[in-house]
Amino acid sequence: MSFPVAFYSPVASITQDEEKARKAKMAIIIERYKEKVLALPRKEIDTNLHLCKYEGFWYHHGFWLHSNANFSVEAIMALQDEFQALPTDVFLASQVKSGTTWLKSLGFAILNRAKFKIDKDSCATHPLITTSPHDCVPFLESESFLNNPSYANGLMGTHIPYTSLPQSIISSDCRIVYIHRNPKDMLISFWHFMNTLREDGSSPIKLDDTFELFCKGLTPNGPFWDHAIGYYKASLERPNKVLFLTYEKLKEDTYNEVKRLASFIGSSFTKEEEDDGSVQEIIELCSFKKLSEAHKGNKDGSHSSNGIYFRKGTVGDSVNYLTTEMIKTLDEIAKEKFDGLNISF
Ligand code: A3P
C-alpha cells in the first residue's frame, strides 16, 4: 500500500492581519449556523464555558477562549457542508490530551523525512523544532477553510468524532490514524491543561469538578469513551483506512508502532533506513524530551504558546492525583462503555 502525500510547508505563527481575517471568516460561519446551534441542547459549565450537544457529542460554540473559535460546533457544521477530502489526505485524529502532539510530530517527521533531514546536525532546524507540531500539522477544524485555502498538503489533525466527520473523509480513499489514551491519564492531563490556560489570576479549577464533568461526558468532543468507540469500530470495519493506536503502546513499543504508522500512511521505512538508524532518529526528534526542551520557553498560557502541550509525557500519572474512589468510578464507566471491545482503560 503506497500513495503520495504532498509535502507540507509549515507556517509559523500567523500575523495579526491573518488572525483578524480568520476571526472575520469565523464570525460569518457563526452567523450562518446561528439558528441551528440555538436549537441544540446546551450546558453552562461556568461563565467562560458553555457546551452544546451536536450529534451525540459536546462542543464549544461561538467564540471561546482567547477568541479562538476554531473548535466550535459551527466550524464542524461548516466542514460537514463544504469540506472535500482528497484521496491522498491523511487525518490524525484524537481526543484532546491523548497524544495529539506526539502523533502529529511523528506523522509529519515520517512523511517529510526526505525534505527535512533528521540527523544530529539538521535537527535544530527541523520545522518541528523551529515552529511547532501544531503549526506543521494544523487542525482540520481551524485551517481548512478559515485560514489556509490550500488546506490539503496531505496531513491534518482533527478532534472531530468519527461519526461527525465530513462525509467526504469517510467516502474518499484517505487514511485516518486515531490515538487513544487511558481515560484516567487523559483526564489528569486535561485538568492540568485547563488550569495552565487559566494561569491569569483566576482561581484554579478543582479536580473534583473536572472529574464530575468528565464522568458525565462533558468535555470538549466528549463523551471521551464514545469518541474512542467511534474510531475503534471504524478501524475494525475499515482496517485499511482507519488505524487505531494507543498512547500506551506507542510508549511501550515505540519502534514497532512507528513502523506500523509509517506503513499505514503509505511511507514505509526501507531496509536501509532501518539499518542506518533513520527510524530511531525520527523517534528521538519526536520524543517528549526533545520537543518539550525545544518549546519549554514558550509557555505563557495562550493557545499559541507551544510549551503548553508538554507536561510529563508519562503513562499512569493519574494515580498521583485520583482517589481510589475516582479510579473505581472511571474503571466502571469504561468497563461498561467498552464492553465487548478490545479498548484499553
Ligand atoms: P501529560 O499531561 O500527561 O504529560 P495532546 O497532544 O493531545 O494535547 O496531549 C498532551 C499529552 O501528551 C500531555 O500529557 C503531554 O505531556 C503529552 N505529550 C506531548 N508530546 C509528547 C511526546 N512527544 N511524547 C509523549 N508524550 C507527549
Side-chain angles (χ1 to χ4, degrees), residues 94-102 105 134 159 181 185 188-189 192 247 251 286-288 291 309-314 317:
S94 60
Q95 251 291 9
V96 296
K97 312 324 292 172
S98 293
T100 317
T101 313
W102 194 13
S105 306
H134 295 283
H159 289 318
R181 191 179 192 188
D185 285 354
I188 291 304
S189 183
H192 279 289
Y247 184 94
K251 272 266 166 197
C286 299
S287 67
F288 179 83
L291 292 178
Y309 296 101
F310 308 94
R311 190 183 63 93
K312 273 195 174 172
T314 55
D317 186 43

Side-chain angles (χ1 to χ4, degrees), residues 98 178-186 214 224-225 228-229 232 244-250 252 257 315 330-331 333-345:
S98 293
Y178 186 76
I179 186 156
H180 166 68
R181 191 179 192 188
N182 178 309
K184 289 164 284 194
D185 285 354
M186 177 274 176
F214 183 76
F224 174 89
W225 306 271
I229 289 169
Y232 178 77
F244 191 90
L245 300 176
T246 70
Y247 184 94
E248 293 74 27
K249 189 82 200 285
L250 196 52
E252 181 194 307
E257 288 297 278
V315 172
L330 289 168
D331 284 349
I333 297 173
K335 214 168 168 182
E336 193 189 319
K337 288 265 195 185
F338 294 158
D339 185 33
L341 306 171
N342 189 18
I343 306 179
S344 55
F345 60 90

Side-chain angles (χ1 to χ4, degrees), residues 57-122:
F57 291 87
W58 292 98
Y59 302 95
H60 302 289
H61 58 97
F63 286 110
W64 172 78
L65 212 62
H66 308 292
S67 302
N68 184 334
N70 304 336
F71 297 96
S72 57
V73 70
E74 294 91 341
I76 294 172
M77 290 172 172
L79 284 166
Q80 289 178 333
D81 282 347
E82 293 168 9
F83 184 72
Q84 287 304 319
L86 300 174
T88 48
D89 287 344
V90 175
F91 294 94
L92 304 178
S94 60
Q95 251 291 9
V96 296
K97 312 324 292 172
S98 293
T100 317
T101 313
W102 194 13
L103 180 61
K104 280 183 171 187
S105 306
L106 288 167
F108 182 84
I110 290 168
L111 288 174
N112 290 284
R113 65 188 185 273
K115 185 174 183 188
F116 302 118
K117 299 267 183 256
I118 312 180
D119 54 43
K120 281 195 182 62
D121 297 336
S122 53

